[in-house]
Amino acid sequence: MKHIHYKNSTISYTDTGNGPTLVLLHGFLENSNMWEHYITEFSKQYRVIAIDLLGHGQTDCLGYIHTMEDMADAVYAVLEKLEITQAVFTGHSMGGYVALAIAELYPDMVKGIVLQNSTSKADSEERKLNRDRAINAVKQSYANFVRLAIANLFSEENRERLTAEIEAVRNEALKTPVQGIVAALEGMKIRKDREILLHTTDIPVLLILGKKDPVMNYQDSLSQLDGTNVKLITYPDGHMAHIENREALTTDLLQFYKAIL
């Protein structure tokens, strides 16, 4: 891992390969390690930057609420330090929210966006209540919350098939400090709706969805695409396409990158 100093804290990242730049942004309870397989594949053709978002991995917390804009600014700080002026941003779940915030705040930097098991929509009122329940659960029993939360990201069929992989994800998630978990939940809860970006941007956007995603309803997710040029790829499984659909995702991402870079 490499590090930069930012607002009296440390942001950690990896920088691998040469060529046009890809930026990989992990999801909630994850860190840049989730991209290990993809970094190996993509760095054969591209420069790949994988960043630990605020309060995750080896990146420090900045406060008790990490907004998506806060995270976008931190990512921008890393890329500015590396003198990167344009990149394709791929974000899993929360990482997708951050990618969209970057597209709004720093549009000239964004060559393309992949929203993997993510959405441009803000939280519904029901989802906001679930975030509050999650915050209470974290404060009561951090380890139990993490164990349940991770299993619930996979489709039911894959919870038995991928037990070793799920355990590995849990072990990484348990490295996330309580403050980082709560700050991310608070930030996701108040994030703004950016669906309008999908309708107005000229930036190529790829949306990847899972038909059996337990946390993002497939049909609801489709509604944000009406009247847009967003490319859609659907997999038959859950919220963790980078594990549940590794081979297909690798191929599909490389095809998308090749088309726009």
Side-chain angles (χ1 to χ4, degrees):
M1 298 293 290
K2 300 178 180 180
H3 313 277
I4 69 162
H5 294 292
Y6 174 76
K7 295 186 176 180
N8 298 317
S9 64
T10 297
I11 303 174
S12 300
Y13 66 95
T14 63
D15 183 356
T16 313
N18 296 288
T21 304
L22 309 177
V23 177
L24 306 181
L25 304 173
H26 64 79
F28 175 58
L29 294 177
E30 297 172 328
N31 57 59
S32 56
N33 287 342
M34 70 163 276
W35 300 113
E36 184 177 5
H37 160 78
Y38 298 89
I39 292 170
T40 300
E41 292 301 315
F42 299 163
S43 62
K44 296 171 185 175
Q45 303 174 55
Y46 302 105
R47 183 180 184 182
V48 185
I49 313 294
I51 300 172
D52 283 348
L53 296 173
L54 298 178
H56 288 69
Q58 295 182 36
T59 291
D60 295 335
C61 295
L62 273 188
Y64 294 97
I65 300 177
H66 292 151
T67 67
M68 300 304 102
E69 292 79 10
D70 291 335
M71 295 199 184
D73 288 341
V75 170
Y76 180 79
V78 172
L79 300 181
E80 188 177 43
K81 175 78 172 178
L82 298 175
E83 299 182 347
I84 292 168
T85 57
Q86 270 205 325
V88 177
F89 292 80
T90 298
H92 175 233
S93 199
M94 182 180 75
Y97 310 155
V98 178
L100 288 171
I102 293 167
E104 182 174 276
L105 296 169
Y106 308 104
D108 292 342
M109 181 171 271
V110 183
K111 185 79 173 170
I113 299 172
V114 179
L115 302 175
Q116 182 211 318
N117 305 106
S118 192
T119 181
S120 63
K121 295 184 176 186
D123 272 0
S124 65
E125 291 307 311
E126 180 184 1
R127 196 75 189 273
K128 289 177 182 177
L129 286 173
N130 287 338
R131 302 275 191 211
D132 287 332
R133 292 188 188 105
I135 289 166
N136 289 332
V138 170
K139 292 176 179 177
Q140 288 173 11
S141 179
Y142 153 77
N144 280 345
F145 168 78
V146 169
R147 289 191 183 96
L148 286 171
I150 296 303
N152 289 338
L153 298 175
F154 292 79
S155 67
E156 286 189 29
E157 301 91 321
N158 285 334
R159 288 172 201 171
E160 291 185 17
R161 184 174 70 86
L162 298 171
T163 51
E165 289 86 347
I166 291 170
E167 190 60 27
V169 175
R170 278 193 184 123
N171 289 337
E172 287 295 321
L174 285 166
K175 298 175 184 177
T176 315
V178 170
Q179 183 182 341
I181 295 175
V182 173
L185 285 165
E186 293 282 12
M188 289 188 288
K189 183 177 72 174
I190 63 171
R191 76 181 188 281
K192 65 185 288 189
D193 192 299
R194 289 192 163 91
E195 188 175 348
I196 188 67
L197 269 178
L198 302 187
H199 293 263
T200 59
T201 187
D202 292 327
I203 299 166
V205 180
L206 170 63
L207 177 63
I208 293 170
L209 299 176
K211 267 209 166 158
K212 297 178 183 175
D213 190 325
V215 295
M216 288 188 176
N217 181 274
Y218 179 70
Q219 291 302 325
D220 287 349
S221 297
L222 291 180
S223 64
Q224 68 194 302
L225 302 183
D226 293 344
T228 74
N229 293 318
V230 174
K231 177 177 170 61
L232 171 67
I233 293 176
T234 298
Y235 297 138
D237 297 296
H239 192 67
M240 305 291 273
H242 55 287
I243 297 172
E244 295 175 280
N245 310 102
R246 176 178 286 182
E247 307 267 334
L249 182 63
T250 303
T251 300
D252 289 334
L253 289 178
L254 283 170
Q255 286 181 349
F256 180 70
Y257 300 150
K258 183 178 180 181
I260 64 175
L261 290 173

